[in-house]
Amino acid sequence: MAHDDAKPAGNANKLVIRNIGLLLSGDLRQPILDVDTVVAVDGKITAVGKQGDVDVARATTTIDAKGTTLAPGLIDSHVHPVAGDWTPRQNQLGWIDSYLHGGVTTMVSAGEVHTPGRPRDVVGVKAMAIFAQRIFMAFRPGGVRVHGGAPVIEHGMVEEDFKELAAAGVTILGEVGLGSVKDGKTARQMVLWARKYGIQSTIHTGGPSIPGSSLIDKDMVLETDADVIGHINGGHTALPGVQIVELCEKSTRALEIVHNGNEKAALLTLRTAKELKQLDRVILGTDSPAGSGVQPLGILRMISMLSALGEIPAEVALCFATGNTAKIRKLDGGLVAPGRAATFVLMDKPQHSAGKNLLESIQLGDLPGIGMVVVDGLVSVQRSRNTPPATTMPEVVPA
Ligand SMILES: [Zn+2]
């Protein structure tokens, strides 16, 4: 039987979000859309438009945004999960759920490196990666999607290992440099094998993070040529500024700026990318949990810091943590556009901000107040327990 895709068939879930005051698309090419309504069916966006132009009938859930701002759920490009919602690094429970209250709906593992007693032998490395990939596929705290299972390369790995990992569902490598491979030649070979089988790579950049990790300078980053220049602003210790500029200029790979890094180096990276007219390479992560702890508002803080001190419009800075990361990491969310995941954060300027609206408040360095988080078409969080309170809150309209 033919049917109109805009109409939910049978018991489909149809979500309508109306009265959106400002819609941030996540797309650098057009970060603000002049629309006020988003419709999603069974977790996928089906329409983005003006209320009068889209089919809002027979919604199973209606959200009145009350004139607040809707953006894609934020993506943290650099986390170090272990198992479940626990981090042994700071012995803390519930950290992923806390990040959800900071607007983060998707996380990408840069290696499950804080696992106590993590294996260093090849079969153990592979087993742990497959274990992490599986558990985080099945376990989504508050709906947060953690892309886990990121093996850290070790000496002794051969092409067949990457083929086997890819066949088992592994799609990302942990940070190159955190294992025994510390030379560019070996790292490059393994990154090429990974890429051949569809596994994306990230390299640690800068000084050692914690005892046991080590310096990776620009020569090794360039020689290895991983897909993402992980924490180009150091994690936490940054390379000299001239090396950071050289990485921006000589490589075409993604420039990942992290919260758990050097803020001066973050601003240098941003300025250089802007001068090169390559802001589409900038992506954001927290590089947490780590020595500096758990950072539930880390991605919001990065957006605000880069916008305020880097003099970047807030709607552009938001793209770094949404559409840019989704594109580089090949993820489903990150954009408010038909066909994408219906995963959103609704926010407003925080109460008593000096800014006259959300964008101005971010540009002044304040953090947004989150009023609601929607994951795959379902309301996951109402007022955030972690951000400053939003001035105006969206509401679920009673059926
Ligand atoms: Zn690192």
Side-chain angles (χ1 to χ4, degrees), residues 121-392:
D121 62 301
V122 176
V123 70
V125 165
K126 290 193 291 184
M128 193 177 85
I130 295 165
F131 161 78
Q133 189 272 342
R134 292 290 187 281
I135 59 170
F136 286 113
M137 276 298 282
F139 178 60
R140 298 182 59 174
V144 176
R145 163 67 74 210
V146 181
H147 295 272
V152 171
I153 56 172
E154 300 281 357
H155 277 294
M157 292 178 83
V158 296
E159 179 173 349
E160 190 63 23
D161 294 316
F162 295 88
K163 188 178 178 186
E164 193 184 331
L165 283 164
V170 169
T171 58
I172 37 177
L173 286 189
E175 286 173 73
V176 171
L178 298 191
S180 56
V181 176
K182 309 282 190 197
D183 67 289
K185 188 164 175 281
T186 310
R188 183 186 184 88
Q189 176 63 75
M190 291 190 184
V191 159
L192 282 171
W193 283 331
R195 194 173 288 140
K196 179 175 173 183
Y197 296 105
I199 299 175
Q200 194 178 64
S201 54
T202 298
I203 189 164
H204 172 97
T205 309
S209 300
I210 48 176
S213 85
S214 52
L215 169 72
I216 306 284
D217 66 6
K218 59 103 179 150
D219 292 328
M220 175 152 172
V221 174
L222 289 171
E223 187 175 2
T224 302
D225 193 33
D227 298 299
V228 175
I229 303 176
H231 55 63
I232 188 167
N233 62 318
H236 185 279
T237 311
L239 293 174
V242 287
Q243 292 199 26
I244 292 173
V245 171
E246 200 173 328
L247 286 176
C248 294
E249 288 174 348
K250 287 194 175 162
S251 167
T252 57
R253 302 298 184 182
L255 308 171
E256 184 191 73
I257 300 175
V258 301
H259 186 271
N260 183 35
N262 177 317
E263 292 180 359
K264 192 165 180 164
L267 291 166
L268 174 63
T269 304
L270 182 68
R271 258 200 322 275
T272 308
K274 191 177 167 186
E275 280 165 17
L276 292 169
K277 297 190 169 34
Q278 294 178 357
L279 286 177
D280 59 326
R281 291 169 64 196
V282 176
I283 63 177
L284 306 185
T286 52
D287 188 9
S288 67
S292 61
V294 161
Q295 294 134 9
L297 305 185
I299 295 294
L300 286 178
R301 285 170 52 83
M302 298 283 299
I303 291 169
S304 178
M305 189 273 282
L306 295 175
S307 175
L309 302 182
E311 292 173 349
I312 293 280
E315 66 271 24
V316 170
L318 187 114
C319 295
F320 302 156
T322 53
N324 277 11
T325 317
K327 189 170 177 199
I328 283 163
R329 296 289 193 179
K330 302 185 176 71
L331 305 172
D332 175 30
L335 292 177
V336 181
R340 307 294 288 211
T343 297
F344 312 112
V345 53
L346 285 102
M347 51 197 171
D348 196 17
K349 72 169 186 167
Q351 291 176 13
H352 304 291
S353 170
K356 66 178 183 297
N357 55 39
L358 176 84
L359 296 179
E360 196 179 292
S361 70
I362 294 171
Q363 282 152 201
L364 288 174
D366 286 335
L367 299 183
I370 290 179
M372 191 176 287
V373 181
V374 174
V375 177
D376 293 338
L378 301 172
V379 176
S380 189
V381 167
Q382 299 211 26
R383 183 197 289 265
S384 164
R385 67 170 185 262
N386 287 334
T387 65
T391 302
T392 303

